[in-house]
Amino acid sequence: MNEFCVELRDVVKRFPTPEGSEVFAVDHVTMQIKNGEFFSMLGPSGCGKTTSLRMVAGFEWPTVGEVYIEGEAMGRRPPYLRPVNTVFQSYALFPHMSVAENVAYGLEMEKTPKYEIKRRVGEILEMVKLSGMERRKPRQLSGGQQQRVALARALVKHPKVLLLDEPLGALDLKLRKEMQLELKALQQEVGITFVYVTHDQEEALTMSDRIAVMDHGRVLQIGAPVEIYERPNSRFVADFIGETNFLSGEARAIEEDRVTVYIPSLKDELVGAKAAPVNVGDQVVVSMRPEKIRLASDRALPQNCFSGIVLNTAYIGSDTRVIVDLGGAPLAVWEQNKISTLDPEAYYAPGEQVWVVVLPENALVLQDV
Amino acid sequence: MLRKLREDRSFQGAVLISPTLLFMIGLLIIPLLLTLVISFGSRAPDGTVIYGFSFDNYVRLSGVRTECDNGKSLCLDPIYIQILSRSLSLAFNTTVLAILMAYPLAYFIARAPARKRNTFLFLILVPMWTNFIIRVYAWMMLLRTQGVINSVIGWLAGLVGLHFTPFEMLYTQGAVLVGMVYEFLPFMILPIYTSLEKIELSLYEASADLGARPFRTFLRMTLPLSIPGVVAGTILVFVPVMGTFIVSDLLGGRQIVLVGNLIQNQFLIARDPTFGSAASLMLMTLTLIVTYFYTRKFGFGEEIVTA
Amino acid sequence: MNPHRRSPLVIVSTVLVYFFLYAPVVVLFLFAFNSSKTNVLFEGFITQVGPTEIVSGNVIRSPCGAFHWFCELARNVEVRNAARNTLTIAFVSTITSTIIGTLAAIALQRYSFRLKTFSEVSLYIPIVIPEIVMGIGILVLFSQLFTLLNNTLSLSGDSQLTLGLGTVIVSHIAFSIPFVTLVVRARLHGFDKAIEEASMDLGANEIITFWRVTLPSIMPGVLSGALLAFTLSLDDFVITFFTTGPGASTLPIYVYGLLRRIVTPQVNALSAVWISIVLVVVFFTQRLQSRQM
């Protein structure tokens, strides 16, 4: 058995534009998706994630490069000859067929015997909690139910890989959260490789074993959620995943994995962790997550400690979100409310002078691109 | 070949469209071009066509004559111009009358409760499913001097003891106008209805909420939003009226000659296909010009599709 | 505010327009039972059943009673021929133009290819030019073509090419295609292409996908297109008038001929039968359409 379930090798997809030129939807993408993995492609719309998925499914063919499924080159093989199935963003349920007919469709194409179809359709509908809905038409179902039918229809074929194109995009927030957990549980239950496309970073972090962050047709970083969040390799990834503060500056000295950066707006130096290849003299940015910055009432450390003024605070229960004016630019700091108290003195107030403290390992130095 | 059919989408499209193109080229484009070619020819004594290249037929249409009764070498015979202007004014009147009749009805249906709308629409279509000719015949029965309308009026007059001389209604301009409106009214109602039906009821509520009285709501909101429907309806009425010859033939008698009658006459009675072709092309050009400028001014809605 | 409220003016004019639409139809139906042969005034129903007896143009007694003119109609050989022609033309042209027009709609809505603009324009022409222009165009084509062929192949007598059922059918197909295409395209407009991809994803090839997914989901549009083509063909006078030949008379052509001569209540009976048949056809198509969805 091949180690990689799905592999994209240096894949390029160009589309002609109406003006007659060409646009790179996917630009030299290489990805290796392991067996049994929950793999997400994450990026803003137009980043090439859906096109990449569609090339795995066979709806599009690469202009250059090759898609491999189970080690086999797919070339221009049509979708119906590939061992993958898709859950569509719009669900794409056949409107003229009942739930059971929709789910049975793929099995009929395999010439599965009737009794076998009946049994498997029953099983899968039970699995997605749709028993009793067999004879309904898609338009008689709620959004969440339609979503489950789409899932059942794809899973019933026992594909090697299940491709999911923003399957939760049309659901409301609460239902989406529920379905995220259900999907993850389902994936562990059936043990099929899931390739999941989404623009919702929280969704990707919650569900995935590994994430590929994409932008402008290129893969910027592939890694486990914790790597992507804690060690983004570029300004885009740091910005797109979660929230962060950026300070621009110039790399002054590099010592192993520590970089000393001069920050013009602070007229001071800041020591950060080297998260991407940088050289002395480079223009860099320092990324600091709001929850990893501390506020103090006096100068706590000899370095990485800067004076600011509280602009604004928002109490949101678990945290207090503080905006600090740091060298003329706003800086977001999330202070966890670890002590239960009603004393207003315990919270920061606008106008207060504070010290912003950031540990070098929490200040990631990245190329400014 | 099979591979090409599977992978080349523009080839697939070409395959799907080809039977249509065959029919459109064979029975529309070529016939129109042939009409053009023939219109430059002249008529042989036996009624067949002598191909050539002369503008005689078009000169004749314009009414300029080189052989005149009074001995002059050039004079103007406005008969064809008269036919044309008669057709245009009839088409215009029919269209206006149809809008005036169709609009309130379309509005009524569009504002009716949703489940009743289909019934009302269906009721408009039922008379249309009799035949075109039969509808003209119905009006012959109604409009005749001893016909139904005169009989009913005479009977009513008799009840109150009045003497009644029947109206001469058949074989008049008015009869042709009524017949035309009757034939094409649904083509005005349906597109107007479609555009009115698209206006959400909440818009009426919003307008009222913002202080507009019903009549102002109508002028400022309903009317502008229904213009695409009126445009589509106008084209669907104006164009066929310009070319129809049966209504004028049966309800107008010999007196009311329209462009359609002229063309038909040249082909089947006068047996001059070359002059008939010229007249037909003139009719086509005229309607295309009118619809082109009209749609360019008001835009062309998809309402025409639903009619 | 009640959004369904309409002013009295609107209601009154609505009632008047419906009256305008229906009065002629009612008269048409009523006169189908007229005892008067000349059919100018309504002279009452035929009340007696028995051997036909006519007194000064009035039918007093008929084997069919009040339905005298319907029986006359059924016995009329010319009407039977015309009806057969009309239905043959309508069925053949409807089926052909529905298939061809549906393919064209799919091509225009979903594919890009050379000649696309040309195809779209040529499909618009028959809708925006008067029918008579297309009618005489086709007449000119066939008459010139047939003269040429008859002369060069020296055909004579029965083997000569003439206008007839064939030319009428071909012409009806040609003018129906644009309307079918228009209707089917409107349906395809809201069509989610993803359901075809889903079908192929689930293992169906292009052909199975077309039959099992594409066609069923656009079927209501195809049926409306077919119904439109059918009614257009049944109703058509102008194009038929110019493309028909001896022995290929349709009902509208036959009625037109009668109207210029003498009209008996048979024409009214024909109208009544006609509208009933069309209503039945419409009813069944609607049933079929609603079951589709």
Side-chain angles (χ1 to χ4, degrees), chain B residues 27-37 39 58 61 84 87-88 235 238-244 259-260 262-263 275-293, chain C residues 121-122 124-138:
Chain B
L27 287 152
L28 181 72
I29 310 291
I30 292 179
L32 288 179
L33 290 176
L34 208 57
T35 313
L36 183 69
V37 170
S39 73
Y58 292 97
L61 264 180
L84 188 65
S87 299
L88 276 171
I235 289 166
F238 185 86
V239 172
V241 171
M242 280 301 287
T244 301
V259 181
L262 172 69
I263 298 169
F275 184 60
S277 294
S280 167
L281 285 178
M282 181 201 64
L283 171 64
M284 181 179 86
T285 316
L286 198 76
T287 51
L288 284 181
I289 289 172
V290 171
T291 52
Y292 175 74
F293 282 106
Chain C
V121 170
S122 68
Y124 254 110
I125 295 175
I127 300 171
V128 295
I129 63 171
E131 224 182 335
I132 190 173
V133 176
M134 189 169 170
I136 71 132
I138 298 175

Coordinates of all heavy atoms in Angstrom, one line a residue, chain B residues 27-37 39 58 61 84 87-88 235 238-244 259-260 262-263 275-293, chain C residues 121-122 124-138:
Chain B
L27 N -33.3 27.3 -43.3 CA -34.6 27.8 -43.4 C -34.8 29.2 -42.9 O -36.0 29.7 -42.8 CB -35.6 26.8 -42.7 CG -35.7 25.6 -43.5 CD1 -36.1 24.4 -42.6 CD2 -36.8 25.7 -44.6
L28 N -33.7 29.9 -42.6 CA -33.9 31.3 -42.2 C -32.9 32.2 -43.0 O -33.3 33.1 -43.7 CB -33.7 31.4 -40.7 CG -33.8 32.8 -40.2 CD1 -35.3 33.2 -40.2 CD2 -33.3 33.0 -38.8
I29 N -31.6 31.9 -42.8 CA -30.6 32.7 -43.4 C -30.6 32.6 -44.9 O -30.7 33.7 -45.6 CB -29.2 32.3 -42.9 CG1 -29.2 32.2 -41.4 CG2 -28.1 33.3 -43.4 CD1 -29.3 33.5 -40.6
I30 N -30.6 31.4 -45.5 CA -30.6 31.3 -46.9 C -31.9 31.8 -47.5 O -31.8 32.6 -48.5 CB -30.4 29.8 -47.3 CG1 -28.9 29.4 -47.0 CG2 -30.6 29.6 -48.8 CD1 -28.6 28.0 -47.3
P31 N -33.1 31.5 -46.9 CA -34.3 32.1 -47.5 C -34.2 33.7 -47.5 O -34.6 34.3 -48.4 CB -35.4 31.6 -46.6 CG -34.9 30.3 -46.1 CD -33.4 30.5 -46.0
L32 N -33.7 34.2 -46.4 CA -33.6 35.7 -46.3 C -32.7 36.2 -47.4 O -33.0 37.2 -48.1 CB -33.2 36.2 -45.0 CG -34.3 36.0 -43.8 CD1 -33.7 36.5 -42.5 CD2 -35.6 36.8 -44.2
L33 N -31.6 35.6 -47.6 CA -30.6 36.0 -48.6 C -31.2 35.9 -50.0 O -31.1 36.8 -50.8 CB -29.3 35.2 -48.5 CG -28.4 35.5 -47.3 CD1 -27.2 34.6 -47.2 CD2 -28.0 37.0 -47.3
L34 N -31.9 34.8 -50.2 CA -32.6 34.5 -51.5 C -33.6 35.6 -51.8 O -33.8 36.1 -52.9 CB -33.2 33.1 -51.5 CG -33.3 32.4 -52.8 CD1 -32.0 32.3 -53.5 CD2 -33.9 31.1 -52.6
T35 N -34.4 36.0 -50.7 CA -35.3 37.0 -50.8 C -34.7 38.3 -51.3 O -35.1 39.0 -52.2 CB -36.0 37.3 -49.5 OG1 -36.4 36.1 -48.9 CG2 -37.3 38.2 -49.7
L36 N -33.5 38.5 -50.7 CA -32.7 39.7 -51.1 C -32.3 39.7 -52.6 O -32.5 40.6 -53.3 CB -31.5 39.9 -50.2 CG -30.6 41.1 -50.4 CD1 -31.4 42.4 -50.0 CD2 -29.3 41.0 -49.7
V37 N -31.8 38.5 -53.0 CA -31.3 38.3 -54.4 C -32.5 38.6 -55.3 O -32.4 39.3 -56.3 CB -30.7 36.9 -54.6 CG1 -30.5 36.7 -56.0 CG2 -29.4 36.8 -53.8
S39 N -35.2 40.2 -54.9 CA -35.8 41.5 -54.9 C -35.1 42.4 -55.9 O -35.6 43.4 -56.3 CB -35.7 42.1 -53.5 OG -34.4 42.5 -53.2
Y58 N -37.4 48.5 -55.5 CA -37.3 49.5 -54.4 C -37.8 50.9 -54.8 O -38.4 51.6 -54.0 CB -35.9 49.5 -53.9 CG -35.5 48.2 -53.2 CD1 -34.8 47.2 -53.9 CD2 -36.0 47.9 -51.9 CE1 -34.6 46.0 -53.3 CE2 -35.7 46.7 -51.3 CZ -35.0 45.7 -52.0 OH -34.8 44.5 -51.4
L61 N -41.4 50.8 -54.7 CA -41.9 50.9 -53.4 C -41.9 52.3 -52.9 O -42.9 52.7 -52.1 CB -41.0 50.0 -52.5 CG -41.4 48.6 -52.1 CD1 -40.4 48.0 -51.2 CD2 -42.8 48.6 -51.5
L84 N -47.8 51.6 -45.9 CA -46.8 51.5 -44.8 C -47.2 52.3 -43.6 O -47.2 51.8 -42.5 CB -45.4 51.9 -45.3 CG -44.3 51.7 -44.4 CD1 -44.1 50.2 -44.2 CD2 -43.0 52.3 -44.9
S87 N -50.1 50.7 -41.8 CA -49.6 49.6 -41.0 C -49.0 50.1 -39.7 O -49.2 49.5 -38.6 CB -48.6 48.7 -41.8 OG -49.2 48.2 -42.9
L88 N -48.1 51.1 -39.9 CA -47.4 51.6 -38.7 C -48.4 52.1 -37.7 O -48.3 51.9 -36.5 CB -46.4 52.6 -39.1 CG -45.0 52.1 -39.6 CD1 -44.2 53.3 -40.1 CD2 -44.3 51.5 -38.4
I235 N -42.9 44.6 -28.0 CA -42.3 43.9 -29.2 C -43.1 42.7 -29.6 O -43.3 42.5 -30.8 CB -40.8 43.5 -28.8 CG1 -40.0 44.7 -28.7 CG2 -40.3 42.5 -29.8 CD1 -38.7 44.5 -28.0
F238 N -46.2 44.5 -31.3 CA -46.0 45.4 -32.5 C -45.5 44.6 -33.7 O -46.0 44.8 -34.8 CB -44.9 46.4 -32.1 CG -44.6 47.4 -33.1 CD1 -45.4 48.6 -33.2 CD2 -43.6 47.2 -34.1 CE1 -45.2 49.5 -34.2 CE2 -43.4 48.2 -35.1 CZ -44.2 49.3 -35.1
V239 N -44.5 43.7 -33.5 CA -44.0 43.0 -34.6 C -45.0 42.1 -35.4 O -45.1 42.3 -36.6 CB -42.8 42.1 -34.1 CG1 -42.3 41.2 -35.2 CG2 -41.6 43.0 -33.6
P240 N -45.8 41.3 -34.7 CA -46.7 40.5 -35.4 C -47.8 41.3 -36.1 O -48.3 41.0 -37.2 CB -47.3 39.5 -34.4 CG -46.9 40.0 -33.1 CD -45.7 40.8 -33.3
V241 N -48.2 42.4 -35.4 CA -49.3 43.2 -36.0 C -48.8 43.8 -37.4 O -49.5 43.8 -38.4 CB -49.7 44.4 -35.1 CG1 -50.6 45.3 -35.8 CG2 -50.4 43.8 -33.9
M242 N -47.5 44.2 -37.4 CA -46.9 44.7 -38.6 C -47.0 43.7 -39.8 O -47.1 44.1 -41.0 CB -45.5 45.1 -38.4 CG -45.2 46.4 -37.7 SD -46.0 47.8 -38.6 CE -44.8 48.0 -40.0
G243 N -47.0 42.4 -39.5 CA -46.9 41.5 -40.6 C -48.2 40.7 -40.8 O -48.2 39.9 -41.8
T244 N -49.2 40.8 -40.0 CA -50.3 40.0 -40.1 C -51.2 40.5 -41.3 O -51.4 41.7 -41.5 CB -51.2 40.0 -38.8 OG1 -50.3 39.6 -37.8 CG2 -52.4 39.2 -38.9
V259 N -49.2 46.2 -45.0 CA -48.0 45.6 -45.7 C -48.1 44.1 -45.9 O -47.8 43.6 -47.0 CB -46.8 46.0 -44.8 CG1 -45.5 45.4 -45.5 CG2 -46.7 47.5 -44.6
G260 N -48.7 43.4 -44.9 CA -48.8 42.0 -45.0 C -49.7 41.6 -46.2 O -49.4 40.7 -47.0
L262 N -50.1 43.4 -48.9 CA -49.4 43.8 -50.1 C -48.5 42.6 -50.5 O -48.5 42.2 -51.6 CB -48.6 45.0 -49.8 CG -47.6 45.4 -50.9 CD1 -48.4 45.9 -52.1 CD2 -46.7 46.5 -50.4
I263 N -47.7 42.1 -49.5 CA -46.8 41.0 -49.8 C -47.5 39.8 -50.2 O -47.2 39.2 -51.3 CB -45.9 40.7 -48.5 CG1 -45.1 42.0 -48.1 CG2 -45.0 39.6 -48.7 CD1 -44.5 41.9 -46.7
F275 N -41.2 41.9 -56.5 CA -41.7 43.1 -55.8 C -42.1 42.7 -54.4 O -41.8 43.4 -53.4 CB -42.8 43.7 -56.6 CG -43.3 45.0 -56.0 CD1 -42.5 46.0 -55.8 CD2 -44.6 45.1 -55.6 CE1 -42.9 47.2 -55.2 CE2 -45.1 46.2 -55.0 CZ -44.2 47.3 -54.8
G276 N -42.7 41.5 -54.3 CA -43.1 41.0 -53.0 C -41.9 40.8 -52.1 O -42.0 41.2 -50.9
S277 N -40.8 40.3 -52.6 CA -39.6 40.2 -51.8 C -39.1 41.5 -51.3 O -38.7 41.6 -50.1 CB -38.5 39.5 -52.6 OG -38.9 38.2 -53.0
A278 N -39.1 42.5 -52.2 CA -38.6 43.8 -51.8 C -39.5 44.3 -50.7 O -39.0 44.9 -49.7 CB -38.6 44.8 -53.0
A279 N -40.8 44.2 -50.8 CA -41.7 44.7 -49.8 C -41.5 43.9 -48.5 O -41.5 44.5 -47.4 CB -43.2 44.5 -50.2
S280 N -41.2 42.6 -48.6 CA -41.0 41.8 -47.4 C -39.7 42.3 -46.6 O -39.7 42.4 -45.4 CB -40.9 40.4 -47.8 OG -40.5 39.6 -46.7
L281 N -38.7 42.5 -47.4 CA -37.4 43.0 -46.8 C -37.6 44.3 -46.2 O -37.0 44.6 -45.1 CB -36.3 43.0 -47.8 CG -35.8 41.6 -48.2 CD1 -34.7 41.8 -49.3 CD2 -35.2 40.9 -47.0
M282 N -38.4 45.2 -46.8 CA -38.6 46.5 -46.2 C -39.4 46.4 -44.9 O -39.0 47.0 -43.9 CB -39.5 47.3 -47.2 CG -39.7 48.7 -46.7 SD -41.2 49.4 -47.5 CE -42.5 48.3 -47.0
L283 N -40.3 45.5 -44.9 CA -41.1 45.2 -43.6 C -40.1 44.7 -42.5 O -40.1 45.2 -41.4 CB -42.2 44.2 -43.9 CG -42.9 43.6 -42.6 CD1 -43.6 44.8 -41.9 CD2 -43.8 42.5 -43.0
M284 N -39.2 43.8 -42.9 CA -38.3 43.2 -41.9 C -37.4 44.3 -41.4 O -37.2 44.5 -40.2 CB -37.5 42.1 -42.5 CG -36.6 41.5 -41.5 SD -35.6 40.1 -42.2 CE -34.3 41.0 -42.9
T285 N -36.8 45.1 -42.3 CA -35.9 46.2 -41.9 C -36.6 47.1 -41.0 O -36.0 47.5 -39.9 CB -35.4 46.9 -43.2 OG1 -35.1 45.9 -44.2 CG2 -34.2 47.7 -42.9
L286 N -37.8 47.5 -41.3 CA -38.5 48.5 -40.5 C -38.8 48.0 -39.1 O -38.5 48.7 -38.1 CB -39.8 48.8 -41.2 CG -40.5 50.0 -40.8 CD1 -39.8 51.2 -41.4 CD2 -42.0 50.0 -41.2
T287 N -39.2 46.7 -39.0 CA -39.5 46.2 -37.7 C -38.2 46.1 -36.9 O -38.2 46.3 -35.7 CB -40.3 44.9 -37.7 OG1 -39.6 44.0 -38.6 CG2 -41.7 45.0 -38.2
L288 N -37.2 45.6 -37.5 CA -35.9 45.5 -36.8 C -35.4 46.8 -36.3 O -34.9 47.0 -35.2 CB -34.8 44.8 -37.7 CG -35.0 43.3 -37.9 CD1 -33.9 42.8 -38.8 CD2 -35.0 42.6 -36.6
I289 N -35.5 47.9 -37.2 CA -35.1 49.2 -36.8 C -35.9 49.7 -35.6 O -35.3 50.1 -34.5 CB -35.2 50.2 -37.9 CG1 -34.1 49.9 -39.0 CG2 -35.0 51.6 -37.4 CD1 -34.3 50.7 -40.2
V290 N -37.2 49.5 -35.7 CA -38.1 50.0 -34.6 C -37.7 49.3 -33.3 O -37.5 49.9 -32.2 CB -39.6 49.8 -34.9 CG1 -40.4 50.1 -33.7 CG2 -39.9 50.7 -36.1
T291 N -37.7 47.9 -33.3 CA -37.4 47.2 -32.1 C -36.0 47.5 -31.6 O -35.8 47.6 -30.4 CB -37.6 45.7 -32.3 OG1 -36.8 45.3 -33.4 CG2 -39.0 45.3 -32.5
Y292 N -35.0 47.7 -32.5 CA -33.7 48.0 -32.1 C -33.6 49.3 -31.3 O -33.1 49.3 -30.1 CB -32.7 48.1 -33.3 CG -31.3 48.4 -32.9 CD1 -30.5 47.5 -32.2 CD2 -30.8 49.7 -33.1 CE1 -29.2 47.9 -31.9 CE2 -29.6 50.1 -32.8 CZ -28.7 49.2 -32.1 OH -27.5 49.5 -31.8
F293 N -34.2 50.3 -31.8 CA -34.1 51.6 -31.1 C -34.9 51.6 -29.8 O -34.6 52.1 -28.8 CB -34.5 52.7 -32.0 CG -33.4 53.1 -33.0 CD1 -33.5 52.8 -34.3 CD2 -32.3 53.8 -32.5 CE1 -32.4 53.1 -35.2 CE2 -31.3 54.1 -33.3 CZ -31.3 53.8 -34.7
Chain C
V121 N -27.9 35.0 -32.4 CA -28.5 36.0 -33.2 C -29.5 35.3 -34.1 O -30.7 35.7 -34.2 CB -27.5 36.8 -34.0 CG1 -28.2 37.7 -35.0 CG2 -26.7 37.7 -33.1
S122 N -29.1 34.2 -34.8 CA -30.0 33.6 -35.7 C -31.3 33.0 -35.0 O -32.3 32.9 -35.6 CB -29.3 32.5 -36.6 OG -29.0 31.4 -35.8
Y124 N -32.6 34.5 -32.5 CA -33.5 35.6 -32.1 C -34.3 36.1 -33.3 O -35.4 36.6 -33.1 CB -32.7 36.7 -31.5 CG -32.8 36.8 -30.0 CD1 -31.8 36.5 -29.2 CD2 -34.0 37.2 -29.5 CE1 -32.0 36.6 -27.8 CE2 -34.2 37.3 -28.1 CZ -33.2 37.0 -27.3 OH -33.3 37.0 -25.9
I125 N -33.8 36.0 -34.5 CA -34.4 36.6 -35.7 C -35.9 36.1 -35.8 O -36.7 37.0 -35.9 CB -33.6 36.3 -36.9 CG1 -32.2 37.0 -36.8 CG2 -34.3 36.8 -38.2 CD1 -31.3 36.7 -38.0
P126 N -36.2 34.8 -35.8 CA -37.6 34.5 -36.0 C -38.5 35.0 -35.0 O -39.7 35.2 -35.2 CB -37.6 32.9 -35.9 CG -36.2 32.5 -36.1 CD -35.3 33.7 -35.6
I127 N -38.0 35.4 -33.8 CA -38.9 36.0 -32.8 C -39.1 37.4 -33.0 O -40.2 37.9 -32.7 CB -38.2 35.7 -31.4 CG1 -38.1 34.2 -31.2 CG2 -39.0 36.3 -30.3 CD1 -37.3 33.8 -30.0
V128 N -38.1 38.1 -33.6 CA -38.3 39.6 -33.7 C -38.6 40.0 -35.2 O -38.7 41.2 -35.4 CB -37.1 40.4 -33.2 CG1 -36.9 40.1 -31.7 CG2 -35.8 39.9 -34.0
I129 N -38.8 39.1 -36.1 CA -39.3 39.6 -37.4 C -40.7 39.0 -37.6 O -41.1 38.0 -37.1 CB -38.4 39.2 -38.6 CG1 -38.3 37.6 -38.7 CG2 -37.0 39.7 -38.4 CD1 -37.6 37.2 -39.9
P130 N -41.5 39.7 -38.4 CA -42.9 39.3 -38.7 C -42.8 37.9 -39.3 O -41.9 37.6 -40.1 CB -43.5 40.3 -39.6 CG -42.6 41.5 -39.4 CD -41.3 41.0 -39.0
E131 N -43.8 37.1 -39.0 CA -43.8 35.7 -39.5 C -43.8 35.6 -41.0 O -43.3 34.8 -41.6 CB -45.1 35.0 -38.9 CG -44.9 33.6 -38.4 CD -46.2 33.0 -37.9 OE1 -47.1 33.8 -37.6 OE2 -46.3 31.8 -38.0
I132 N -44.5 36.6 -41.6 CA -44.7 36.6 -43.0 C -43.4 36.7 -43.8 O -43.2 36.1 -44.8 CB -45.7 37.7 -43.5 CG1 -46.1 37.5 -44.9 CG2 -45.1 39.1 -43.3 CD1 -47.1 38.5 -45.4
V133 N -42.4 37.4 -43.1 CA -41.1 37.5 -43.8 C -40.4 36.1 -43.9 O -39.9 35.8 -44.9 CB -40.2 38.5 -43.0 CG1 -38.8 38.6 -43.6 CG2 -40.9 39.9 -43.0
M134 N -40.5 35.4 -42.8 CA -39.9 34.1 -42.8 C -40.7 33.2 -43.7 O -40.1 32.4 -44.5 CB -39.9 33.5 -41.4 CG -39.1 32.2 -41.2 SD -38.9 31.7 -39.5 CE -38.3 30.1 -39.6
G135 N -42.0 33.3 -43.7 CA -42.9 32.5 -44.5 C -42.6 32.6 -46.0 O -42.4 31.6 -46.7
I136 N -42.5 33.9 -46.5 CA -42.3 34.0 -47.9 C -40.8 33.7 -48.3 O -40.5 33.2 -49.4 CB -42.7 35.4 -48.4 CG1 -41.7 36.5 -48.0 CG2 -44.1 35.7 -48.2 CD1 -41.3 37.3 -49.1
G137 N -39.9 33.9 -47.3 CA -38.5 33.5 -47.5 C -38.4 32.0 -47.8 O -37.8 31.6 -48.8
I138 N -39.1 31.2 -47.0 CA -39.1 29.8 -47.2 C -39.8 29.4 -48.5 O -39.4 28.5 -49.3 CB -39.8 29.0 -46.0 CG1 -39.0 29.3 -44.7 CG2 -39.8 27.5 -46.3 CD1 -39.6 28.8 -43.5

